[in-house]
Amino acid sequence: HIGGQLDGLAAALPVERGPRTDFEGYAVLRELRRGGSGARLFVCEPDDRTRARIGLAEGLVVVKSFDFDDGTRLAEMLRESRALDSARRLGLVLDHDSSERRFHYVMRYHDGVDLGTFARKLHEAAGDGGLDRERLVLVASLVRDLVATLREWHASGLWHKDVKPENIIVLEGRATLVDLGLVTPLASEMTLTTHGTEYFRDPEMVRQALRGTRVLDVDAARFDLYGAGAVLHFALEGTFPAHGVLSSFRKPSPECLRWIARRAMADFERRYASADEMLRDLDRAILGGDPAAVRPADLPSMGPTREVPEPPPPPDRRVRQRPLVRVTNWWTGAYELASERPLPAALPAELSGRLGPPIAVAAGALATLGGIVALWIWLSGSL
């Protein structure tokens, strides 16, 4: 599935049959709207022999065809062919072929709706009050799928370069990243370009491209993480982040998810170092089903996970919850602690710090009371 397929049947175009629409082993069902590269996109059904050869038991495919007679530029064709071997290892490309005038490759067809359309419909139904908890968990989970996919791509040496809601297909509560149009090997010696989609394209990538930086000389995987943060912002707000990391959040949403979006779009050196790091934060945010209950400080990227102390046993009628203060000498104000629940030999520092001030105040009050009583007895005797 490549960009342009995203609107499904609504984007279907009439197919003019001829040599440029014939692909051996594939029956063309419909043509999709063209993507930015100028290539033609066809939804096809493989025959049985081809299915066995490409290892696809069921489902349709998309054939992306670059034809010189249709105006395809050699640069566009070469850019997409460079990542072909890595894409095949990931299972993203199932088949490819070339001739003197044409080059094409084959991918799975992912039916569904793009995340842009999906999120906008959710926000239209929710209104200005923002998404409820169930839908917040859903959109965060879809972004989680995206980041998990990016982790796999980066580990295989690929950089997507065009992460945006329209390149994410939603079907049955899961998200699939599509479009190989700008995919680039992370080890490429080519100079960075400014290709990508505004508002989801990393401004730092544009700056580096204008300086003539090569792909292999920068951690280009972080450019994808910027896009993932922008997509998360979009999912929470229903609109694109017009000002990058400085984009405001106007609708109610959990602070931990906002923090993850901002961290992903932060300055290059301050953002997430890897997709795996961002993925762990997303998992922590949605694990319990209530992101609002998770603070930014609770996220794994904020430091070592702190141990949560075991909660105290529930109170009952036979056990007092607080220690009692028993006065042992009214004249001097001496006292001791007494409780039906044995106290530990040494209070933890954190707890003793909280008990110290109240006990000191109580002791002072009792000492004062003892002095008053003693004075009253002395005065009575003198009279």
Side-chain angles (χ1 to χ4, degrees):
H1 175 4
I2 293 299
Q5 172 194 343
L6 305 173
D7 296 325
L9 292 175
L13 304 173
V15 180
E16 297 181 5
R17 305 292 175 179
R20 284 181 285 174
T21 60
D22 288 339
F23 306 95
E24 185 177 357
Y26 301 93
V28 175
L29 304 180
R30 58 186 183 272
E31 185 172 359
L32 300 173
R33 193 172 52 204
R34 296 192 187 199
S37 66
R40 299 180 71 180
L41 304 165
F42 302 94
V43 178
C44 302
E45 183 167 11
D47 59 30
D48 292 341
R49 182 177 179 178
T50 301
R51 285 188 182 279
R53 180 172 60 83
I54 65 177
L56 184 67
E58 58 183 15
L60 303 178
V61 299
V62 171
V63 174
K64 186 168 188 176
S65 177
F66 297 84
D67 196 318
F68 287 133
D69 294 330
D70 284 331
T72 297
R73 293 174 297 176
L74 179 61
E76 303 287 355
M77 184 183 299
L78 290 176
R79 187 182 68 215
E80 299 213 15
S81 65
R82 281 196 299 268
L84 201 59
D85 288 340
S86 297
R88 290 202 69 169
R89 289 196 298 272
L90 277 174
L92 303 174
V93 171
L94 305 174
D95 194 12
H96 64 88
D97 195 10
S98 61
S99 64
E100 185 176 342
R101 302 296 302 171
R102 185 177 71 179
F103 162 73
H104 71 267
Y105 59 85
V106 181
M107 300 146 292
R108 298 174 189 270
Y109 175 77
H110 296 282
D111 201 2
V113 63
D114 68 88
L115 180 60
T117 301
F118 184 81
R120 287 190 186 97
K121 289 185 179 297
L122 288 182
H123 282 277
E124 287 172 5
D128 294 336
L131 303 180
D132 60 19
R133 183 174 68 177
E134 180 181 359
R135 287 166 180 78
L136 282 168
V137 171
L138 172 58
V139 297
S141 298
L142 296 175
V143 177
R144 191 259 177 218
D145 286 345
L146 161 67
V147 178
T149 301
L150 290 176
R151 179 178 64 174
E152 184 179 5
W153 283 44
H154 297 164
S156 297
L158 291 179
W159 161 37
H160 187 276
K161 200 179 180 180
D162 197 16
V163 175
K164 60 182 180 179
E166 287 70 27
N167 280 341
I168 302 165
I169 300 300
V170 179
L171 181 63
E172 297 179 353
R174 299 307 301 270
T176 302
L177 178 63
V178 299
D179 196 343
L180 305 182
L182 296 178
V183 171
T184 304
L186 290 169
S188 172
E189 296 188 5
M190 300 292 291
T191 301
L192 287 167
T193 67
T194 58
H195 291 95
T197 302
E198 191 176 6
Y199 303 123
F200 298 94
R201 177 184 57 195
D202 186 1
E204 180 62 23
M205 182 186 74
V206 176
R207 287 191 286 268
Q208 294 284 354
L210 294 177
R211 293 174 188 147
T213 304
R214 296 184 303 172
V215 175
L216 60 76
D217 292 331
V218 65
D219 184 4
R222 291 195 184 192
F223 299 146
D224 277 347
L225 299 185
Y226 179 96
V231 168
L232 179 55
H233 181 283
F234 175 87
L236 298 177
E237 289 287 300
T239 186
F240 52 80
H243 305 289
V245 68
L246 299 179
S247 300
S248 61
F249 290 87
R250 301 181 182 275
K251 296 182 178 180
S253 58
E255 186 57 37
C256 70
L257 293 179
R258 294 181 176 192
W259 193 93
I260 292 172
R262 291 191 184 104
R263 173 79 183 275
M265 292 191 291
D267 292 341
F268 191 80
E269 296 300 331
R270 299 178 61 188
R271 72 184 57 161
Y272 287 108
S274 67
D276 188 62
E277 187 179 20
M278 184 175 179
L279 186 64
R280 289 197 299 270
D281 276 2
L282 284 167
D283 282 343
R284 176 66 181 88
I286 62 181
L287 180 63
D290 185 10
V294 180
R295 304 170 304 165
D298 297 328
L299 298 174
S301 67
M302 293 295 286
T305 303
R306 292 174 294 182
E307 293 186 5
V308 179
E310 184 178 351
D316 63 41
R317 297 176 183 174
R318 296 170 300 171
V319 179
R320 299 184 187 272
Q321 290 182 273
R322 297 180 180 177
L324 297 177
V325 177
R326 178 185 296 131
V327 178
T328 57
N329 189 319
W330 285 97
W331 299 104
T332 63
Y335 67 94
E336 67 179 8
L337 297 179
S339 174
E340 293 181 32
R341 173 184 293 169
L343 294 174
L347 292 176
E350 181 180 346
L351 181 59
S352 62
R354 292 199 300 262
L355 288 178
I359 292 174
V361 171
L366 289 172
T368 302
L369 179 60
I372 293 173
V373 171
L375 179 61
W376 180 79
I377 295 175
W378 181 79
L379 290 175
S380 298
S382 300
L383 297 174

